Every structure is written in C-alpha cells, then in structure tokens.
Amino acid sequence: NAGVTQTPKFQVLKTGQSMTLQCAQDMNHNSMYWYRQDPGMGLRLIYYSASEGTTDKGEVPNGYNVSRLNKREFSLRLESAAPSQTSVYFCASRTRRQGKYEGYTFGSGTRLTVV
Amino acid sequence: TQLLEQSPQFLSIQEGENLTVYCNSSSVFSSLQWYRQEPGEGPVLLVTVVTGGEVKKLKRLTFQFGDARKDSSLHITAAQPGDTGLYLCAGAVFGNEKLTFGTGTRLTIIP
C-alpha cells in the first residue's frame, strides 16, 4: 500500500542511548517532515526537508539530527536520549501540484519512551 | 511562530447531536487544513480550505474558513460513533514550507 512507513513502532531507551527513527515514502513526494506529539501540545515540527539534499530546523530541533538519504527516506537521530524526548514521533510527506502544497500524508508513528 | 488555538479541548456528546469545533489564530493563513487522528494512528487529512469565506462539505462534516483567513470551524451534523477522534487544524502562510498545528479537539460520540 502506498504511504509513509515508520520503523520501529515502539522503542524504549535508557537515558544517554542513541537511536535512529526510520521513515520512507513511496509517493514520490519532494517534502518530508518529522513531528513530535505530546499531550496538550499538539504536533510540533522538529526538522523538515523541502527536497532531496536539503534539511531545515523546525520549532523544536535541539537534541535531534536528520538525514535525507534520498528522495524516499528521511531519518531522525537522537544522539543522547533524554527523558524529555519521550513522545510519539510522526513522519509526514507531501508534494506540490500546480504550485500548491497538498495535505500531509502521515506515518502511523513511533512511540518512544526514554527512562 | 503562529499560534492556532482550538476549542473546545474536549467534547463528549450523544450520538445524533450536532456540534461545532473552532480553530482560531491572530495570524493570516494562505490555507488551512483539518485532520482527524484515531488512537495509535497518524492524522489523516479531511479537507483543505484556501479562500476566505470558503465552505466545504464532506458528507455530514461542514468546514468553513473565516473571511479574514484567521479562523475556521468544523460542524458535524448528526454525530456518529465513527466520528470519535482527535480533530486537528493546521495553517500555512504564503510561501512558507512549514505547517503549524493546533492542539486539537478530542471528540467522543457516545452511542
């Protein structure tokens, strides 16, 4: 099925450990995004990539790095996990048609707990 | 950073009732989107509105974009249990790659 695939779905880390969240889309979208979702705070943008080869910081980039590996894949890395990074992480992608951005297609999320 | 406020934060009503949820900002948006999110899943796009005063209908759901493009509303007629979920609005400004999300309205429809 076409869409955005995120792995893993669940992860528990100890403080200080590192990990990479993987995201891949098969819709040939140019733009990809990483959001975190916390209770009462909605979705907050961590990093985004407007096109292959470019990445930019979002609202809450501290403690994260990203890599746009190719047009399909956009990974999010936590170098030294902290309890404040406990959250649900969503990857999304979208494209432009006739000069206008379409809506986001989201993955099903990665539920990360840092203990 | 634009601030999108959604109200109410929580809403629980009986099946068959009507309801309206709101999305408000002090910023002007080039477009505004509504998403619905079910537990354990990512948000799913319902509609995009782009013109001030625009009204779009999706079956029993009616979406309106304010004339000044600063606010939007979602009205559900004869709510059903399948309408249960988290409703998120998200706004974009002209030429900006980034989309700002509201904090959401968690809707529960009681059978």
Side-chain angles (χ1 to χ4, degrees):
Chain A
N1 293 333
V4 177
T5 303
Q6 291 184 237
T7 56
K9 290 189 180 298
F10 300 93
Q11 184 71 49
V12 178
L13 290 179
K14 293 183 179 180
T15 298
Q17 285 185 318
S18 63
M19 79 162 295
T20 300
L21 282 65
Q22 306 288 350
C23 175
Q25 53 91 9
D26 58 4
M27 298 169 287
N28 202 37
H29 287 175
N30 287 320
S31 303
M32 297 186 74
Y33 308 81
W34 276 105
Y35 283 87
R36 59 178 290 173
Q37 186 173 37
D38 302 291
M41 303 192 74
L43 285 157
R44 292 182 293 167
L45 182 64
I46 305 171
Y47 269 95
Y48 67 101
S49 171
S51 61
E52 185 178 355
T54 68
T55 61
D56 286 285
K57 295 178 180 179
E59 183 184 355
V60 288
N62 292 344
Y64 305 95
N65 285 300
V66 290
S67 295
R68 184 74 182 268
L69 305 171
N70 48 55
K71 192 171 186 178
R72 290 186 65 248
E73 299 172 286
F74 188 38
S75 63
L76 178 71
R77 183 160 178 84
L78 287 70
E79 291 291 352
S80 179
S84 61
Q85 293 179 305
T86 293
S87 187
V88 182
Y89 291 85
F90 287 100
C91 177
S93 70
R94 66 173 175 171
T95 192
R96 295 180 76 163
R97 296 193 198 281
Q98 299 179 338
K100 294 184 178 180
Y101 284 112
E102 296 192 332
Y104 282 13
T105 299
F106 282 89
S108 57
T110 295
R111 283 144 189 84
L112 175 66
T113 302
V114 183
V115 297
Chain B
T1 301
Q2 305 89 19
L3 179 64
L4 274 167
E5 295 186 354
Q6 290 189 242
S7 60
Q9 189 175 358
F10 298 95
L11 182 59
S12 182
I13 65 171
Q14 295 287 335
E15 180 177 0
E17 294 184 349
N18 301 332
L19 66 107
T20 302
V21 298
Y22 301 92
C23 174
N24 295 290
S25 176
S26 58
S27 300
V28 176
F29 294 104
S30 61
S31 65
L32 195 137
Q33 298 175 345
W34 284 91
Y35 292 79
R36 180 169 64 212
Q37 184 179 18
E38 298 187 15
E41 298 296 329
V44 175
L45 179 69
L46 296 174
V47 75
T48 300
V49 286
V50 297
T51 305
E54 182 177 4
V55 176
K56 280 192 174 179
K57 292 191 175 184
L58 184 66
K59 297 184 180 178
R60 294 175 293 100
L61 279 60
T62 301
F63 304 85
Q64 184 163 10
F65 201 11
D67 290 342
R69 305 166 84 140
K70 293 183 178 181
D71 55 84
S72 182
S73 64
L74 159 59
H75 181 79
I76 300 179
T77 303
Q80 298 178 2
D83 296 327
T84 293
L86 178 67
Y87 288 81
L88 296 161
C89 65
V93 297
F94 288 100
N96 194 329
E97 175 71 29
K98 297 177 282 188
L99 202 63
T100 299
F101 281 83
T103 53
T105 293
R106 191 165 297 280
L107 175 64
T108 302
I109 307 302
I110 303 167

